Amino acid sequence: MLLAAQETAAAGWFLENAWLIPLIPFVAFFVILLFGKKMPRGGSEVGIASMVAALVVAAGAAYQWIDRVDSSHGEEVEPVIRQWVWWQSGGTRFGIGEHIDGLAIVVLLLVAFISTLVQIYSTEYVKGDRRYTHYFASITLFSAGMLIMVLAPNMVQLILGWEIMGLTSFLLIGHWWEEKANSEAALKAFWTVRVGDVGLLVGTAVLLGIFGTLDIKGINDSAAAGQFGSHNALMWAAIALFIACIGKSGQFPLHTWLPDAMAGPTPVSSLLHSSTMVVAGVYLVARLYPVFHVGLEINAVGQTFNLIAVIGGITVIVAAALAFVQNDIKKVLAYSTVSQLGYMMMGLGVGAWTASVFHIFTHAFFKCCLFLAAGSISYTASHHSFDMKKDMGGLWKKMPITFGAWMVSTAALAGIPFFSGFFSKDEIIDSAKHADYTIFYLVGIVGAFMTIAYMTRATYLVFFGTPRGGAAHFMGVEHGLEHRDDHAHETLGHDDHSDDHADQSDHGHDDHPEPVRGRPFPFAKYDSPWKITAPLLILGTLAVGSGYLNAPAVGVHWFEHQTESSIGLPLAEHEADGDNAEQVSSEHAVDESVGAEDVGAAEHAADSAIYSVPEPPKFAWGAAAPGLLLVLAGFLVSLFLSLAVFGKRKNVLSPLVGITERNKLFGAGHRFLVNKLYLDHLYEKVIVHGVAYPVSKAAYWFNQNIIDGVVDGAGRSTKRTGEWVYRNIDQRLVDGAVNASGMVANESGHALQPVQSGKVNHYGALLFGAAAVGAIVLILLNV
Amino acid sequence: MNALLLAADVNVAQNIGFYIIAAIMLYAAFSVVSTKNVVHAALWLVVVLGGVAAQYILAAAEFVAVSQVMVYIGAVMVLFLFGIMLTRASIGADTDVNNKDWKLGIPVGLVFFGVLVYTVVDAFEGTVIVEPSAAQIASSTTLISDGYLGDYLIPLIALSFVLLAAAVGAIVLARKD
Amino acid sequence: MDYSNNALLTIGTFLPLVGVLIMMFIPGSDERAHKQIAIITSGATLAVGIYTLIQFDYGNSATLQFAVNEEWIEVIKSNYIIGLDGISLPLYVLSMAVTFLVAVYTWNNVPDAGNPKAFLMLMLVLQVGMAGSFIAQDLILFFVFFELVLLPMYFMIGVWGGEDRQYASLKFFLYTMFGSALMLVAFLALFFQTGAESFSFEHLMAAGALIDHDVQVWIFAGMFIGFAVKVPMFPFHTWLPDAHTQAPTQGSVILAAILLKLGTYGFVRIALPMLPQGAHEWAPVIGILAVIGIIYGALGCLAQTDMKRLIAFSSVAHMGFVMLGISTLTTFGINAALFGMVAHGLITGMLFFVAGSIKHRYHTLEIKRLSGLLIQMPKMGWILGFAAMASLGLPGLAGFWGEFPVILAAYSPAFGVNEALFRTLMVIAAMGTVLAAGYLLWLFQRTAMGDPNPEFVSHDEPAQSLSAAANHGADADHHDEIHDVTIVEWIAWMPFLVAIVVFGVYPQLMFKVMDPAVIQLVERVGNGIP
Amino acid sequence: MYAVNFLLLSAALFSIGVFGVIARRNAVMVLMSIELILNSVNLNLVAFALINKDIDGHIFALFVIAVAAAEVGVGLGMVLMIYRNRRSIALDELSEMHG
């Protein structure tokens, strides 16, 4: 039963039937759960097939959406909405179905595509796992949940998808639940996100109270048109919903669950905890942007900060600082993810909707790629260890694909020009400056500096320097020097040695029998098997290429054009004063890449609308220069720091060799090389030990002990409160009152026992005496 | 006798009759609960029961009065005397016919009496009984029988079962096996 | 009203008595026959229930259907009036389904005290009382059914319960009797205040609204305590953990699934529409107590060391949500409350089943001693996880629909009830969902995850082994009791599991039935408030 | 004639009966006291019948007489049995009902 007559005519089959996209993996989940174990490939084939099918439909829908936008000729592009009755109350019916527009298309494609790659990757990575089928069931259910959320036409469906993601996150983080640490990380993730979800529930209730509907389109339209009772209520709705986003998207101060969530298998980290699930919060803000924009008065005249931007900005800096002191490669990436999510939030907080959504898009590719690369390293080179200091180093020679993908993605993450991250991140920073949010502009460029710094450090530790631990083992085997008969040998050789896995048991989750590994690509025969490296190649390519969908630097605004109807608010020139406005308007005249009609339409809309978001600024190299210079500075500082700190320890020669090579490659001056010891001394003693170390240590300490401590403490004290209440109030007071009455009865029973003499006369006396007393009472009452 | 008593002008006589009988009854009742001789107690009880029957007649309830005489004085009292005999109570005075703490009964009884007097006086003070006419009295027996075989038929049958059960029960209890 | 005098409901309600009669004449030694008869009888009852579902006119679910109005006790003007509408239909059928499944479960899970004959007979009598309460449309009739439930449950706990059964059963009995007494007084007051004309719901709903405001408040107070004890609401809840902990599995399941619903059903069916002004005055009090119950029950859960007791405490929290929904006096709230009743019945029933089966295998429910269920009994462990997820209100499973609309409703309670108060309550209640996630998942983590307790691992297998410890058939010591879900358990549980998913995924199935009736009810309440 | 007369008489009889029930040690005498109480009740019933001009009071009185007869029968039967078993009908020696 269709909920209401919705305009879907001539939208095209794929757009009309986009509801199939989540439904396919959802059904596949049940198929895997019920029949997966009996299938030849343990259900993974169903998972992959369903994701491919979803991807095909999503791609079809994307194609038709592009067609729809292109044929609209500058008019407002309506989203395609279809809903079926899901539940009703008080005669009001609520639907389930689809709400598909540019924003939804972007994330749909993203999720379907990355899920497919990650599932393929996983068939190798978790091969032989005891709960292989469960793994694929959960990860398929995750994709279904995310797709449900993305397609949600109303808040209830959004909550449905949101919570399904939370569930699968719990299941997958705790995939190896035999170890207490893993199950605790899973619980922590679920609880922390759940704390945020209070905001989601409350915010939804407030929205229903304000707008009388839960349909996203209805809410957005009313909010944009100013049709809400009191601004106060809308503000509270926005704050409540944003709390949910803080929890889900790992924003400060609820970000602590995300690094812990790395206890899950690496493909899970790459899919859920970097590229897709954690952007759900950002997606929610983008989806309901009019609510947040109006409710929190973003871009209002004279506003210098707002909740979203502040939280995002703090997250950027704090997480980046934390990433600097991690030894676990996945934790570096996790903090990096948190930091990048902070960028997205900050972008939304300063009105840079398009840039933020585009950053969701590009970030997903390069961050997923980084995680998969980390997985590839641990799978092949480091004996399932993620410790950069103990088990890695010098891997670039043996793992060309992994190394290449990592480097490209790192460049994208760091925002080096012409890699994808540059186009999105720089635009966020630029927009902040443009919209007069100077503080956040500074936060943005400092964040960029820190990003490249920690990534350089990590890259150095993983791929350069002396191989250590597991990596040394791995590298050593190549040279034929040692240990032909152990596990590392098996990693490389294709002959079967499946009988001896004794050495694995010290690494926790991989106690199960190691399966026979797949074959690597012939041109990188020491790298991971092809099922792992193929996704890396694809994602690495996209880490470069995806940026060109919306590259103002080279004059491409295609992405913006496709998604701008999803903002829910008209675009308008921000009324900035002084040089800024002049500069912008002059750029306006120069840059003709946006059609004159579009500008006219937007300005016209801006005149009539009450609220509007500023149009993305026009790109200028001059504006980007400070950021780029800081990126360069960050790279250099971190590089020398890394060389000095980590390179020195192994022997005297290798760091020297390493340093010369790097400096030749990047054309840096020899002076630094000569003065290496000075710098070493300076950085290590002054900056590292004097400033950076204590600061980040302090931040980490603060994080682990205060914020995390608050989280843990809240849990612990809640439990203690529970115990106290139970012991003292329930058992003593409430139950005590009940038992006391019993006891009184009992005691008085003892007291009255002599009365209970068994003598008839006494009974008679009591009976009549009581009757008399009763009669007297009655008389007195009636007098 | 009824007609004589019910005449309006002999109301005084009726009152006097009532008080005399009442006085006798009360004395007899005190004796029942205070005498030390069981047989005497039974005999005083006969006096009380007879007095009650007399009061019934004063209250224009002859059928009840007759039943009272027949059932109580005729049957129940005989039962009591048999009971006394069979339990070999001494015909003479008993030494400890009362409980150790028999005095408990005095306050209870007095309180009860006080409550009842208060209630009765409070509720019926000044209520004068309109004497029923002769015809009414004559028809009262008819009305009673109508009541028994009409509205109260089921309770009557139930009561007969109770009596039967009591008879059987009494036999069972008293049998010497 | 149109009384079709259709015998369907009467048959459906009293059919279990036929089974009881037959069982009476079969010697208790023939346990198998008793189990068979109980299953067949309750199955037949369920079949009648399903037939009722089919015959029900869904387009017309606000009006009473299959209504019967026969003379019963004329002296006190009480009639045998029964009928079914959208509010009672789900609960009516649920009671039948639960009894049937519990009877099936009893097939090889007779409680330790033995004597399945008496046990099953009591269960069937219990079913009559439960079903009757949901169809009664006359206060006296309702009261009779309501009280009929009490005795079988008392015996079930008192005879087949745990170590402390005597205490628990007596507490249960006295507590509920205390509530019933006040409730009866309130019923009679209502009867006399409305002119002592009739006990029928229809009459009382029309006449009750006209009672003087203050009188309504007092009568409502009596009903409130009566029903609140049954629900149970904080602070009348202390009988519940004891009763649940001591009751046999079957008793716990029925108690959680149906019995608790009698209280909330009473609020919705009797207290609200008959005393609108009373309800209006009491709504904030109910709301506050409900929210205290939510938080308090959750805190209580966190402190528990016994699995069954934990689940029992969670009932307090969940029923808090139901009561909060009712106290908003909105369609959203009452719909959600009704949904929550069914959902809680299914989910908590399921949790008690699992707890019972774990106890059966391990002879303990100490959370500390249980560990690694997922390794020893993977299916059981996952069912526990599933039920825990459903219980904490995960969307897509039934529990969500009992909580989420309540939160929506609490934002704007109806008829001028204090908004600021209810918004505060809404936020606190939403926080309750976090606590729910806390205690349920913590329970799951401690019992299901990790390695099995060496105490329960067979000797031939090293304790630290991570490979599935399913094969215990070889050794003959007590550990071979630890096996995964049996066939009988599957049969008894599968409908619960399926229903939790189906109602969670497509809640309209139930909302559609309830909503028109609820709208009518809320209108009626609204009309009664000046 | 005043209604109070009958009622007060009956009240007095009742109270005396109550005293007897409490004070007496001999089971037979307790039974007698009970008879006193019953008769006072009967007197009340008949008086009310007179006041209200309603024959029902008579009917109830007759019921009470019948029940009283039954009661005496059973009561004495019990007393006999107790006597046979214990050779005493002193009530204060019977304390099997001791709580």
Side-chain angles (χ1 to χ4, degrees), chain A residues 720-753:
Chain A
R720 238 180 274 129
T721 317
E723 274 166 3
W724 186 86
V725 167
Y726 176 72
R727 235 187 0 257
N728 292 311
I729 298 194
D730 194 72
Q731 294 297 297
R732 292 226 181 115
L733 213 73
V734 182
D735 210 30
V738 177
N739 285 339
S741 60
M743 220 140 64
V744 168
N746 195 7
E747 287 304 315
S748 51
H750 281 296
L752 292 173
Q753 210 170 26

Side-chain angles (χ1 to χ4, degrees), chain C residues 480-525:
Chain C
D480 62 2
E481 286 173 29
I482 299 171
H483 46 81
D484 214 334
V485 185
T486 62
I487 291 286
V488 173
E489 284 166 341
W490 272 126
I491 297 172
W493 296 353
M494 198 40 102
F496 277 88
L497 301 173
V498 170
I500 290 171
V501 173
V502 167
F503 286 127
V505 171
Y506 192 56
Q508 177 72 351
L509 280 178
M510 219 185 305
F511 278 122
K512 196 188 169 195
V513 181
M514 299 181 310
D515 196 37
V518 171
I519 293 174
Q520 195 190 31
L521 180 101
V522 171
E523 255 173 35
R524 196 166 262 154
V525 175

